[in-house]
Amino acid sequence: MRHQGIGMTSRRTRERMVKRLMEQGVWNAAVLDAIRDTPRHIFVEEALASRAYEDTALPIGYNQTISQPYIVARMTELILQNRRPEKVLEVGTGSGYQTAVLARLVPKVYSVERIFPLQRQARQRLLELRVRNVIYKHSDGGWGWEDHAPYDAILVTAAPPKIPHKLLEQMAVGGIMVIPVGRGTEQALQRVIRTDDGCEMDVVGRVSFVPFLSGSH
Ligand code: SAH
């Protein structure tokens, strides 16, 4: 079995991580439970497994990173704030950690990733965790995923210079999107609520995500 050494203590370590998240202002009990139940160390390379419960982003190869636990918790909490979403589109599967947390909280997750080896590895990890309510797609998330639209929530974990139109179009009325927007290493985390005749937007914080990739790779 992989990561046996850390497996014995990871539950306790996760408990400490959850405590830290509460101190940082994460209050949603369902989100905290999902984080408590999701082994983050299997989403990073074995050499980094001992650092998996630090509140930090870590490299996952291909110049990408697994998001910081606080950001995962915060974004997940934001998309659950209105009503419980049935269908969620995630753009940027990456390691699959955020996907696994989401899958514990909503009935159906559609997850899009541009870098095929990352997608394949994430799919494998979620299979090992017996997560079955996720459907994956290898494509540019800037197109969204029309086949299953509209979505009650969209969560984007790479930063485009501006919000892709296709994503706005694929939101259900009353739906919510959380997306980092901006060039460079610091971006605005935007919350978008789709209304009958348009959308409302506000900025909920400053974040630092990898840039949104476009074009072919
Ligand atoms: N939530 C992930 C974050 C990974 S980093 C995690 O915690 O592991 C962001 C991910 O977005 C990377 O895997 C990157 O390849 C992916 N990405 C970047 N631009 C994309 C695009 N246009 N479409 C789909 N995925 C994209």
Side-chain angles (χ1 to χ4, degrees), residues 144-155:
W145 191 345
E146 200 121 36
D147 298 355
H148 305 287
Y151 300 97
D152 305 311
I154 300 181
L155 193 155

Side-chain angles (χ1 to χ4, degrees), residues 75-149:
M75 287 175 88
T76 309
E77 184 170 80
L78 283 166
I79 65 158
L80 295 179
Q81 70 181 12
N82 270 9
R83 54 175 191 198
R84 184 164 178 261
E86 283 290 313
K87 279 200 284 182
V88 177
L89 174 67
E90 177 189 44
V91 177
T93 317
S95 67
Y97 175 67
Q98 167 84 74
T99 321
V101 170
L102 276 177
R104 288 181 192 272
L105 293 161
V106 303
K108 202 98 211 172
V109 180
Y110 298 89
S111 190
V112 180
E113 170 59 53
R114 189 74 190 82
I115 299 175
F116 183 67
L118 286 178
Q119 191 229 319
R120 190 178 46 201
Q121 196 175 34
R123 187 198 287 254
Q124 186 57 38
R125 285 168 175 154
L126 276 105
L127 210 69
E128 279 172 32
L129 291 178
R130 299 194 162 73
V131 173
R132 297 185 221 281
N133 55 334
V134 180
I135 305 186
Y136 307 87
K137 187 177 182 182
H138 173 224
S139 81
D140 179 351
W143 298 103
W145 191 345
E146 200 121 36
D147 298 355
H148 305 287

Side-chain angles (χ1 to χ4, degrees), residues 12-22 24 32 35-36 38 40 52-55 69-70 97:
R12 212 177 317 143
T13 321
R14 279 207 294 284
E15 204 57 65
R16 268 205 297 276
M17 181 168 87
V18 164
K19 230 189 206 145
R20 234 170 24 229
L21 293 173
M22 291 168 81
Q24 288 171 287
L32 293 168
I35 286 180
R36 191 181 286 113
T38 307
R40 190 169 184 258
Y53 299 102
E54 292 173 17
D55 193 22
Y70 172 71
Y97 175 67

